[in-house]
Amino acid sequence: MFDIDINDLLTGQVVEWDRLEFKEGWNPLEAVQAVCAFANDFHNWGGGYLIFGIAEKDGRPQLPPKGLTQSQVDEAQKKLLELGYSIQPHYHPICEPVEFQGKLILVVWVPGGEMRPYKAPCSLGKAKSEMTYYI
């Protein structure tokens, strides 16, 4: 789906480190806020990538990846679709599960949005949350 090699992406050879964010596990609040920030593309760098299933240290991936289970990937993809409607205006990134070094990871590409600025909820839950802009 992506026109980028996962090995090149994870070594920072084709995308600047500032455009990569690594998450060891799935956290919906962190995801929606990071998607919002990349969609706002404050520096006009072309958005960014969220990679779930890989821990980070000092902004660099910690390999080998921890990985995600298939059910975690399925849940994350469904939740990302739902969360896209909580961003104002609505925004939906592009997701692809990828096998990397024998582990399943989820790569989320967030191109800079066409309807900037975007804002996302400060918290998730049943009660309506305050919204703020993330960059």
Side-chain angles (χ1 to χ4, degrees), residues 23-121:
K23 303 289 185 187
E24 183 174 345
W26 167 248
N27 179 312
L29 181 59
E30 287 181 358
V32 72
Q33 293 171 350
V35 165
C36 181
F38 282 137
N40 279 324
D41 197 15
F42 185 73
H43 296 290
N44 289 318
W45 288 342
Y49 293 84
L50 289 167
I51 299 143
F52 294 96
I54 298 180
E56 68 90 16
K57 182 176 182 185
D58 300 324
R60 301 295 193 267
Q62 297 298 292
L63 300 174
K66 178 181 176 187
L68 302 171
T69 66
Q70 185 64 55
S71 63
Q72 288 172 315
V73 168
D74 291 345
E75 174 192 340
Q77 288 180 295
K78 289 176 190 173
K79 190 67 174 178
L80 276 169
L81 182 61
E82 176 187 322
L83 290 170
Y85 291 107
S86 71
I87 296 172
Q88 300 292 320
H90 301 320
Y91 181 92
H92 298 281
I94 301 164
C95 307
E96 182 175 354
V98 175
E99 187 172 319
F100 179 72
Q101 295 184 351
K103 298 287 185 170
L104 188 60
I105 62 173
L106 182 63
V107 179
V108 181
W109 178 37
V110 186
E114 295 179 11
M115 300 181 62
R116 298 179 242 178
Y118 295 91
K119 58 185 176 178

Side-chain angles (χ1 to χ4, degrees), residues 8-25:
D8 291 342
L9 181 68
L10 294 178
T11 57
Q13 294 180 28
V14 293
V15 174
E16 299 83 8
W17 289 112
D18 290 342
R19 294 179 52 209
L20 296 170
E21 193 164 324
F22 301 95
K23 303 289 185 187
E24 183 174 345

Side-chain angles (χ1 to χ4, degrees), residues 29 32-33 119-124 128-134:
L29 181 59
V32 72
Q33 293 171 350
K119 58 185 176 178
C122 297
S123 64
L124 297 177
K128 188 167 176 104
S129 172
E130 179 182 340
M131 303 282 284
T132 193
Y133 298 97
Y134 291 90

